[in-house]
Amino acid sequence: MKNKYSIFINSCDNTSDVARHFLMSFDKFIAVPKNIPIFFGTNNFLPQSNHLIKPIKSKKSNWREETIAQLEKIKINNPNITHTLFFLDDFIFSQKFLLRDFHNLFDDLMKNNIRYFRLTSIEESLFTKFFRLFTIKKYFIVNKNKLIQIRKSHPYYCSLQIAFWDIEYLITLLKSSHNIWQFERQQSETIHYCPSYDILSYKHIVEKGEWLFYAKNYCLKNINYFNPGNRNFSSNKIGKYHYYFKKLQFLFFGFLPLRLLKK
């Protein structure tokens, strides 16, 4: 194979406590062939894992600058690596994922110059899903897999859910944003794709620097470990109900309240 892909775990020293949970989950659920390099973005923290992980260090600054510096190092030191599976360090998995089962798919994504392929289906409201039944659907078949084109009006067109990225394209988008939230909300003329089903099963456990209310139980269930450290929990009992209310609201109205707030 002319092109080669890698795994990149996006992290830093400020989130090393969260990353320890991620790495335990990664070791338990994610099977990576030995010929696929795994890179871990860091400042000085050294990841402990059963996998062979190569730390990529950058100076402490901010998420955007550190991520660009780490990806640039991967690109310079590994010119044959053109794509990467991008993981944030606050994801906890709940099902086995055998990377070798998708090797041919990723190989064909590179051959077809697909620059972004999200590994989970896109979030949409029931209304949007119903509406799209009567619109022209754009599919792209790769290695017998149906790739669905993500609508360009989606508010999180550049979502940082786990995705297969063209590294050069990812760096370009990072340079045109200021922070992680703006990055996900930017638009692009490049076509983005997702599958019709979730290839990976996981949840993120931290939001705005605080543990989500379900983090402890979810971690104990899936990795039999949880250490809150000095982080606070973002939600009390009322916050828990608010979380599920937002889930229900999204089911019917999708991103409409978000668009109204922008106005």
Side-chain angles (χ1 to χ4, degrees), residues 5 69 76 121 133 156 159 186 210 217 247 256:
Y5 69 90
I76 292 169
S121 57
L133 287 174
Y156 294 95
S159 170
Q186 65 184 315
E210 296 180 322
N217 290 338
K247 286 281 187 183
L256 179 61

Side-chain angles (χ1 to χ4, degrees), residues 161-219:
Q161 297 295 331
I162 297 172
F164 191 74
W165 284 89
D166 176 299
I167 294 176
E168 191 65 49
Y169 176 57
L170 175 55
I171 291 172
T172 299
L173 291 179
L174 283 164
K175 288 180 177 178
S176 63
S177 63
H178 296 293
N179 54 51
I180 194 168
W181 299 281
Q182 189 184 51
F183 175 88
E184 291 194 293
R185 299 293 302 278
Q186 65 184 315
Q187 301 300 309
S188 170
E189 291 304 312
T190 299
I191 299 174
H192 290 185
Y193 293 94
C194 70
S196 58
Y197 66 98
D198 292 342
I199 292 175
L200 276 169
S201 180
Y202 61 90
K203 286 185 178 181
H204 77 109
I205 55 173
V206 169
E207 189 171 273
K208 295 181 180 178
E210 296 180 322
W211 300 109
L212 286 164
F213 72 89
Y214 57 73
K216 179 179 179 179
N217 290 338
Y218 188 75
C219 287

Side-chain angles (χ1 to χ4, degrees), residues 20 54 56 64 91 115 145-146 151 235 263:
R20 288 186 177 93
K54 302 175 183 179
I56 304 294
R64 172 183 173 271
F91 293 149
R115 311 189 79 182
N145 291 275
K146 182 187 286 185
R151 61 184 174 92
S235 302
K263 294 179 180 179

Side-chain angles (χ1 to χ4, degrees), residues 9 16 19-28 40 42 44-55:
I9 300 164
S16 60
R20 288 186 177 93
H21 296 77
F22 168 89
L23 289 165
M24 292 178 71
S25 173
F26 189 79
D27 282 348
K28 180 177 179 180
F40 186 95
T42 183
N44 293 296
F45 172 73
L46 296 178
Q48 299 297 313
S49 171
N50 296 331
H51 292 85
L52 179 60
I53 292 180
K54 302 175 183 179

Side-chain angles (χ1 to χ4, degrees), residues 243-259:
Y243 172 85
Y244 287 115
F245 171 76
K246 287 198 299 182
K247 286 281 187 183
L248 187 63
Q249 181 188 57
F250 180 85
L251 186 64
F252 291 99
F253 301 106
F255 294 105
L256 179 61
L258 190 65
R259 289 196 294 270

Side-chain angles (χ1 to χ4, degrees), residues 1-6 33 35-37 79-83 99 102-112 164:
M1 181 173 63
K2 182 179 179 181
N3 294 330
K4 188 177 179 182
Y5 69 90
S6 67
N35 65 324
I36 305 299
N80 63 322
I81 294 177
T82 58
H83 291 68
L99 192 60
F102 295 90
H103 178 77
N104 290 335
L105 170 62
F106 296 148
D107 192 17
D108 281 350
L109 290 175
M110 291 185 284
K111 289 176 182 176
N112 285 281
F164 191 74

